Amino acid sequence: MSHLNHLEETLSEQPLTSLSLTHVEFDPNDPLSYAFAYVTLSPLVIVISYISTIIARRELMMINMFLGQLSCEILNSGLKKWIKEKRPSDKIGIGYGMPSSHAQFIAYFTIFSSIYLWYKITFRNNLWKLPLTFGLIIFSFLVSYSRIYLHYHTTKQVIVGNIFGGTFAIFWYLLIEKLIRPLGIFKTIIYSPIAKYFYLKDNTFAKDIIRVEYLNWLALNREKEE
């Protein structure tokens, strides 16, 4: 019993820390700071969306994009340990600040999504690609700027993060589409027993996939009614 009491006293004396992934400090008297505190959590929401979409859609391209996102994060971690540049404030955030992981994350997401949107997706009216791309760019800017506004990173750290994230997105896309896909590796994966078991598919070359899936739904619905 005395040992248990001693353990509880020891634990109570240990300083606690917060999970930096979700812990964001901001000025409660500044409405813009409050808004940016939510904006800066966007990468966490995107990761959840990645996983949810992969489970729901079973699309090979989404899996490839997510693997690229994780690889980009590993690159960021390595760069921070190599450069070892501090954040603008020691009181906000932990670890090194160069390059900004948030900026690198959102730059990869924006650039890869935009490239995939323009080269692999077709709509009934492809003019929709313009506002979608513009929206991605604005969203990327807000996430990056939130890191500066909340004093987690310097402007230079955010710019460098964007450069690395955008460059890695282009590299990853070219690696997938210009090197790996021509080798027939994805086709082998898709027709493998394990891929068939999990219903993995590759709709990269499907024209207007939204319309195709809608027509399939109509056909199934008509069969059910008959």
Side-chain angles (χ1 to χ4, degrees):
M1 189 67 178
S2 59
H3 175 72
L4 181 60
N5 292 334
H6 176 71
L7 180 61
E8 290 177 350
E9 290 177 0
T10 303
L11 290 174
S12 64
E13 293 173 358
Q14 292 179 352
L16 300 178
T17 186
S18 62
L19 182 62
S20 61
L21 183 65
T22 56
H23 181 73
V24 180
E25 295 184 6
F26 63 94
D27 182 358
N29 298 316
D30 181 1
L32 194 56
S33 178
Y34 180 75
F36 275 133
Y38 280 97
V39 171
T40 203
L41 289 174
S42 297
L44 181 61
V45 177
I46 291 174
V47 169
I48 295 173
S49 299
Y50 267 126
I51 297 173
S52 301
T53 304
I54 289 172
I55 293 173
R57 304 284 303 170
R58 315 296 175 94
E59 281 282 353
L60 186 60
M61 178 51 76
M62 183 57 67
I63 296 173
N64 290 333
M65 183 178 176
F66 186 44
L67 290 175
Q69 189 83 72
L70 295 177
S71 299
C72 190
E73 286 300 291
I74 293 173
L75 172 64
N76 179 266
S77 178
L79 288 171
K80 282 186 174 180
K81 292 177 181 178
W82 177 49
I83 300 173
K84 297 181 179 179
E85 182 173 300
K86 293 183 177 181
R87 294 175 182 270
S89 174
D90 292 333
K91 297 180 181 180
I92 300 180
I94 58 175
Y96 298 114
M98 173 64 87
S100 165
S101 58
H102 278 68
Q104 189 167 324
F105 181 103
I106 201 63
Y108 169 89
F109 177 80
T110 299
I111 298 301
F112 192 99
S113 297
S114 298
I115 296 174
Y116 186 70
L117 175 66
W118 282 93
Y119 287 96
K120 296 297 181 180
I121 296 179
T122 56
F123 296 128
R124 183 182 301 174
N125 185 349
N126 281 323
L127 288 177
W128 280 106
K129 294 182 179 182
L130 289 173
L132 287 173
T133 304
F134 183 71
L136 283 169
I137 293 172
I138 294 298
F139 177 61
S140 179
F141 171 80
L142 290 175
V143 174
S144 294
Y145 183 68
S146 72
R147 304 306 289 174
I148 300 172
Y149 193 89
L150 296 173
H151 306 293
Y152 278 88
H153 291 283
T154 64
T155 301
K156 182 178 69 172
Q157 290 170 354
V158 167
I159 291 175
V160 173
N162 273 278
I163 291 173
F164 274 108
T167 302
F168 190 84
I170 296 172
F171 161 77
W172 193 259
Y173 183 86
L174 292 176
L175 176 67
I176 290 172
E177 295 300 326
K178 301 301 180 181
L179 181 61
I180 298 178
R181 187 178 294 282
L183 295 176
I185 295 176
F186 291 156
K187 187 175 182 180
T188 301
I189 292 173
I190 288 299
Y191 290 106
S192 66
I194 189 170
K196 291 180 179 179
Y197 179 81
F198 286 105
Y199 301 119
L200 295 184
K201 57 184 181 293
D202 185 10
N203 286 323
T204 303
F205 298 110
K207 297 294 184 181
D208 199 350
I209 187 61
I210 297 176
R211 181 174 180 273
V212 170
E213 292 186 346
Y214 177 72
L215 292 175
N216 288 337
W217 174 82
L218 279 179
L220 290 172
N221 197 46
R222 286 169 183 165
E223 288 180 6
K224 183 179 179 181
E225 292 177 351
E226 293 175 356

